Amino acid sequence: EAQVTQNPRYLITVTGKKLTVTCSQNMNHEYMSWYRQDPGLGLRQIYYSMNVEVTDKGDVPEGYKVSRKEKRNFPLILESPSPNQTSLYFCASSSISGANEQFFGPGTRLTVL
Amino acid sequence: QQPVQSPQAVILREGEDAVINCSSSKALYSVHWYRQKHGEAPVFLMILLKGGEQKGHEKISASFNEKKQQSSLYLTASQLSYSGTYFCGTYSGGSNYKLTFGKGTLLTVNP
Protein backbone atom coordinates (compact mmCIF):
# COMPACT_ATOMS: atom_id res chain seq x y z
CA GLU A 1 0.00 0.00 0.00
CA ALA A 2 1.32 3.41 -0.98
CA GLN A 3 1.74 5.47 2.16
CA VAL A 4 3.62 8.02 4.19
CA THR A 5 4.31 7.00 7.77
CA GLN A 6 5.28 9.17 10.71
CA ASN A 7 6.48 8.30 14.17
CA PRO A 8 5.65 8.97 16.87
CA ARG A 9 2.01 9.92 16.41
CA TYR A 10 1.85 11.66 19.77
CA LEU A 11 4.67 13.11 21.83
CA ILE A 12 4.79 15.10 25.03
CA THR A 13 8.20 16.44 25.94
CA VAL A 14 9.87 19.19 27.92
CA THR A 15 11.63 22.33 26.80
CA GLY A 16 15.15 21.74 25.54
CA LYS A 17 15.02 17.96 25.16
CA LYS A 18 16.10 17.09 21.63
CA LEU A 19 13.65 15.03 19.62
CA THR A 20 13.27 13.54 16.15
CA VAL A 21 10.07 12.85 14.26
CA THR A 22 10.57 10.28 11.53
CA CYS A 23 8.90 10.29 8.13
CA SER A 24 9.09 7.55 5.54
CA GLN A 25 7.41 7.04 2.17
CA ASN A 26 7.28 3.95 -0.06
CA MET A 27 6.32 5.61 -3.35
CA ASN A 28 9.82 6.51 -4.55
CA HIS A 29 8.89 10.20 -4.46
CA GLU A 30 11.62 12.75 -4.98
CA TYR A 31 9.86 15.55 -3.12
CA MET A 32 9.22 15.52 0.62
CA SER A 33 8.04 18.27 2.89
CA TRP A 34 7.25 19.05 6.51
CA TYR A 35 4.31 21.23 7.56
CA ARG A 36 3.03 22.43 10.87
CA GLN A 37 -0.62 23.10 11.45
CA ASP A 38 -1.88 25.53 14.05
CA PRO A 39 -5.48 26.64 14.61
CA GLY A 40 -6.49 29.37 12.19
CA LEU A 41 -3.14 29.38 10.36
CA GLY A 42 -3.54 26.48 7.95
CA LEU A 43 -0.58 24.38 6.85
CA ARG A 44 2.74 26.15 6.90
CA GLN A 45 5.80 24.64 5.33
CA ILE A 46 8.84 24.12 7.56
CA TYR A 47 11.38 22.49 5.24
CA TYR A 48 11.29 20.61 1.99
CA SER A 49 13.57 18.35 0.01
CA MET A 50 13.79 17.91 -3.72
CA ASN A 51 15.91 14.77 -3.54
CA VAL A 52 18.62 13.06 -1.51
CA GLU A 53 20.96 15.60 0.09
CA VAL A 54 18.90 18.51 -1.29
CA THR A 55 16.93 20.40 1.34
CA ASP A 56 15.72 23.97 1.71
CA LYS A 57 13.82 26.20 4.09
CA GLY A 58 10.11 26.71 3.89
CA ASP A 59 8.15 29.52 5.50
CA VAL A 60 8.74 28.71 9.18
CA PRO A 61 12.13 26.93 9.49
CA GLU A 62 13.37 28.50 12.76
CA GLY A 63 14.05 25.92 15.44
CA TYR A 64 13.97 22.93 13.10
CA LYS A 65 16.47 20.84 11.18
CA VAL A 66 16.03 18.15 8.56
CA SER A 67 18.15 15.69 6.67
CA ARG A 68 17.65 13.59 3.55
CA LYS A 69 20.23 10.83 3.47
CA GLU A 70 17.92 8.31 1.83
CA LYS A 71 15.18 8.94 -0.69
CA ARG A 72 12.46 7.36 1.42
CA ASN A 73 13.22 9.09 4.75
CA PHE A 74 12.97 12.72 5.80
CA PRO A 75 13.28 13.15 9.58
CA LEU A 76 12.41 16.39 11.36
CA ILE A 77 14.75 17.32 14.21
CA LEU A 78 14.02 19.73 17.03
CA GLU A 79 17.37 20.35 18.71
CA SER A 80 15.97 22.38 21.62
CA PRO A 81 12.17 22.34 21.54
CA SER A 82 10.24 25.25 22.99
CA PRO A 83 6.54 25.58 23.90
CA ASN A 84 5.82 27.60 20.72
CA GLN A 85 6.65 24.46 18.73
CA THR A 86 3.63 22.71 20.20
CA SER A 87 1.69 21.87 17.07
CA LEU A 88 0.38 19.20 14.72
CA TYR A 89 3.06 18.18 12.23
CA PHE A 90 2.53 16.58 8.83
CA CYS A 91 5.03 15.04 6.49
CA ALA A 92 4.11 14.86 2.81
CA SER A 93 5.63 13.50 -0.38
CA SER A 94 5.01 13.77 -4.08
CA SER A 95 6.59 13.32 -7.45
CA ILE A 96 8.53 16.33 -8.67
CA SER A 97 5.97 18.51 -10.37
CA GLY A 98 3.43 21.15 -9.53
CA ALA A 99 0.89 18.89 -11.17
CA ASN A 100 0.93 15.95 -8.79
CA GLU A 101 -0.86 15.44 -5.52
CA GLN A 102 0.93 15.45 -2.23
CA PHE A 103 0.46 12.40 -0.03
CA PHE A 104 0.30 13.24 3.65
CA GLY A 105 1.35 11.20 6.64
CA PRO A 106 -1.08 10.70 9.55
CA GLY A 107 0.38 13.55 11.58
CA THR A 108 2.35 13.90 14.80
CA ARG A 109 0.83 15.84 17.65
CA LEU A 110 3.66 17.40 19.64
CA THR A 111 3.31 19.09 23.01
CA VAL A 112 6.31 20.89 24.50
CA LEU A 113 5.93 21.73 28.18
CA GLN B 1 2.30 34.55 0.51
CA GLN B 2 -0.62 32.41 1.54
CA PRO B 3 -3.59 32.30 -0.82
CA VAL B 4 -6.77 33.76 0.64
CA GLN B 5 -9.72 31.47 1.10
CA SER B 6 -13.34 32.53 1.51
CA PRO B 7 -15.55 32.03 3.32
CA GLN B 8 -13.71 31.07 6.49
CA ALA B 9 -16.61 28.88 7.56
CA VAL B 10 -19.93 27.74 6.16
CA ILE B 11 -22.79 25.72 7.59
CA LEU B 12 -25.07 23.77 5.29
CA ARG B 13 -27.98 21.43 5.54
CA GLU B 14 -27.65 18.13 3.77
CA GLY B 15 -28.45 18.56 0.08
CA GLU B 16 -27.48 22.22 -0.11
CA ASP B 17 -24.70 23.63 -2.27
CA ALA B 18 -21.58 25.59 -1.36
CA VAL B 19 -18.75 27.37 -3.13
CA ILE B 20 -15.30 27.83 -1.62
CA ASN B 21 -12.97 30.37 -3.17
CA CYS B 22 -9.20 30.62 -3.28
CA SER B 23 -7.40 33.73 -4.44
CA SER B 24 -3.71 34.38 -4.95
CA SER B 25 -1.69 37.54 -5.53
CA LYS B 26 0.77 35.63 -7.71
CA ALA B 27 0.46 34.06 -11.14
CA LEU B 28 -0.33 30.39 -10.72
CA TYR B 29 0.68 27.20 -12.46
CA SER B 30 -1.67 24.98 -10.48
CA VAL B 31 -4.20 24.97 -7.67
CA HIS B 32 -4.63 21.96 -5.40
CA TRP B 33 -7.63 21.22 -3.19
CA TYR B 34 -7.57 19.04 -0.07
CA ARG B 35 -10.11 18.13 2.58
CA GLN B 36 -9.19 17.43 6.17
CA LYS B 37 -11.32 15.78 8.82
CA HIS B 38 -10.61 16.89 12.36
CA GLY B 39 -7.29 15.50 13.59
CA GLU B 40 -6.64 13.56 10.40
CA ALA B 41 -4.33 14.05 7.44
CA PRO B 42 -5.42 16.20 4.51
CA VAL B 43 -6.82 14.14 1.65
CA PHE B 44 -6.35 15.07 -1.98
CA LEU B 45 -9.42 16.18 -3.91
CA MET B 46 -8.33 17.84 -7.11
CA ILE B 47 -5.60 19.64 -9.04
CA LEU B 48 -6.36 22.32 -11.60
CA LEU B 49 -3.58 23.20 -13.99
CA LYS B 50 -2.83 26.21 -16.08
CA GLY B 51 -4.18 25.46 -19.51
CA GLY B 52 -7.31 23.75 -18.29
CA GLU B 53 -6.29 20.23 -17.29
CA GLN B 54 -7.86 18.84 -14.14
CA LYS B 55 -6.99 15.78 -12.09
CA GLY B 56 -9.12 14.50 -9.27
CA HIS B 57 -10.36 11.49 -7.37
CA GLU B 58 -13.86 12.49 -6.47
CA LYS B 59 -17.00 13.79 -8.07
CA ILE B 60 -16.23 17.34 -7.04
CA SER B 61 -16.07 20.16 -9.51
CA ALA B 62 -13.84 23.18 -9.50
CA SER B 63 -12.78 26.03 -11.71
CA PHE B 64 -9.52 27.89 -12.23
CA ASN B 65 -9.38 31.40 -13.61
CA GLU B 66 -5.73 31.87 -14.59
CA LYS B 67 -6.07 35.56 -15.36
CA LYS B 68 -7.60 36.37 -12.00
CA GLN B 69 -5.42 33.83 -10.14
CA GLN B 70 -8.54 32.42 -8.54
CA SER B 71 -10.04 29.01 -8.08
CA SER B 72 -13.42 27.90 -6.80
CA LEU B 73 -14.50 24.54 -5.43
CA TYR B 74 -18.15 23.63 -5.97
CA LEU B 75 -19.83 21.27 -3.52
CA THR B 76 -23.26 20.34 -4.79
CA ALA B 77 -25.96 18.32 -3.08
CA SER B 78 -23.78 18.18 0.02
CA GLN B 79 -23.60 15.06 2.13
CA LEU B 80 -22.72 14.68 5.79
CA SER B 81 -19.37 13.21 4.71
CA TYR B 82 -18.43 16.52 3.07
CA SER B 83 -17.91 18.08 6.49
CA GLY B 84 -14.34 19.09 7.20
CA THR B 85 -11.81 21.80 6.52
CA TYR B 86 -10.99 22.53 2.90
CA PHE B 87 -7.58 23.83 1.94
CA CYS B 88 -6.38 25.19 -1.33
CA GLY B 89 -2.70 25.01 -2.15
CA THR B 90 -1.14 27.10 -4.86
CA TYR B 91 1.98 26.53 -6.95
CA SER B 92 3.39 29.40 -8.94
CA GLY B 93 5.91 27.50 -10.99
CA GLY B 94 9.66 27.46 -10.59
CA SER B 95 12.13 24.81 -9.60
CA ASN B 96 11.29 24.51 -5.92
CA TYR B 97 7.80 22.98 -6.41
CA LYS B 98 6.62 24.83 -3.34
CA LEU B 99 2.95 24.42 -2.53
CA THR B 100 1.55 27.21 -0.34
CA PHE B 101 -1.67 26.49 1.51
CA GLY B 102 -4.45 28.85 2.52
CA LYS B 103 -5.82 29.00 6.06
CA GLY B 104 -8.73 26.73 5.25
CA THR B 105 -12.52 26.84 5.07
CA LEU B 106 -14.49 24.93 7.69
CA LEU B 107 -17.52 23.28 6.16
CA THR B 108 -20.21 21.80 8.41
CA VAL B 109 -23.03 19.80 6.91
CA ASN B 110 -25.95 19.14 9.22
CA PRO B 111 -28.78 16.63 8.74
Side-chain angles (χ1 to χ4, degrees):
Chain A
E1 180 191 356
Q3 61 181 351
V4 178
T5 57
Q6 292 179 231
N7 283 292
R9 295 289 313 280
Y10 302 90
L11 180 60
I12 300 175
T13 189
V14 295
T15 299
K17 186 175 181 182
K18 181 179 178 180
L19 66 92
T20 299
V21 183
T22 64
C23 172
S24 184
Q25 50 95 4
N26 62 2
M27 294 167 278
N28 202 36
H29 285 160
E30 298 87 359
Y31 188 91
M32 297 186 75
S33 181
W34 276 102
Y35 298 91
R36 62 176 289 173
Q37 184 174 30
D38 304 290
L41 297 181
L43 294 156
R44 294 181 294 166
Q45 190 179 53
I46 303 170
Y47 269 93
Y48 65 94
S49 170
M50 303 274 286
N51 214 324
V52 175
E53 303 293 358
V54 181
T55 63
D56 207 347
K57 297 177 181 178
D59 297 314
V60 288
E62 295 77 20
Y64 303 95
K65 284 177 58 176
V66 293
S67 69
R68 187 95 182 269
K69 294 186 171 63
E70 302 168 286
K71 196 172 186 179
R72 63 184 292 124
N73 296 325
F74 190 44
L76 179 70
I77 303 156
L78 285 73
E79 295 266 359
S80 183
S82 62
N84 64 12
Q85 293 178 297
T86 292
S87 187
L88 179 58
Y89 292 86
F90 288 102
C91 179
S93 73
S94 72
S95 300
I96 287 284
S97 169
N100 291 310
E101 67 177 282
Q102 290 200 4
F103 291 81
F104 284 83
T108 295
R109 187 167 293 280
L110 172 66
T111 303
V112 184
L113 301 174
Chain B
Q1 286 180 325
Q2 281 184 296
V4 177
Q5 288 186 233
S6 63
Q8 290 184 313
V10 58
I11 299 174
L12 300 175
R13 288 217 166 161
E14 209 171 357
E16 293 181 335
D17 302 338
V19 180
I20 300 173
N21 301 301
C22 176
S23 179
S24 174
S25 59
K26 301 167 76 169
L28 299 176
Y29 174 81
S30 64
V31 179
H32 301 218
W33 286 98
Y34 291 80
R35 178 172 59 215
Q36 184 183 34
K37 302 283 187 179
H38 183 69
E40 298 180 5
V43 173
F44 170 75
L45 295 176
M46 178 172 284
I47 290 174
L48 301 103
L49 300 167
K50 185 177 177 179
E53 184 181 356
Q54 297 186 2
K55 295 195 266 187
H57 292 319
E58 294 196 18
K59 294 180 181 178
I60 288 178
S61 64
S63 65
F64 178 23
N65 186 323
E66 297 169 32
K67 289 184 180 178
K68 291 187 177 180
Q69 295 133 219
Q70 294 174 345
S71 177
S72 295
L73 186 69
Y74 304 97
L75 302 167
T76 57
S78 59
Q79 305 170 18
L80 296 176
S81 62
Y82 286 11
S83 292
T85 301
Y86 289 76
F87 291 100
C88 71
T90 57
Y91 168 60
S92 296
S95 58
N96 64 4
Y97 303 102
K98 178 179 170 60
L99 198 61
T100 303
F101 286 94
K103 293 183 179 181
T105 295
L106 178 61
L107 176 73
T108 304
V109 181
N110 293 319

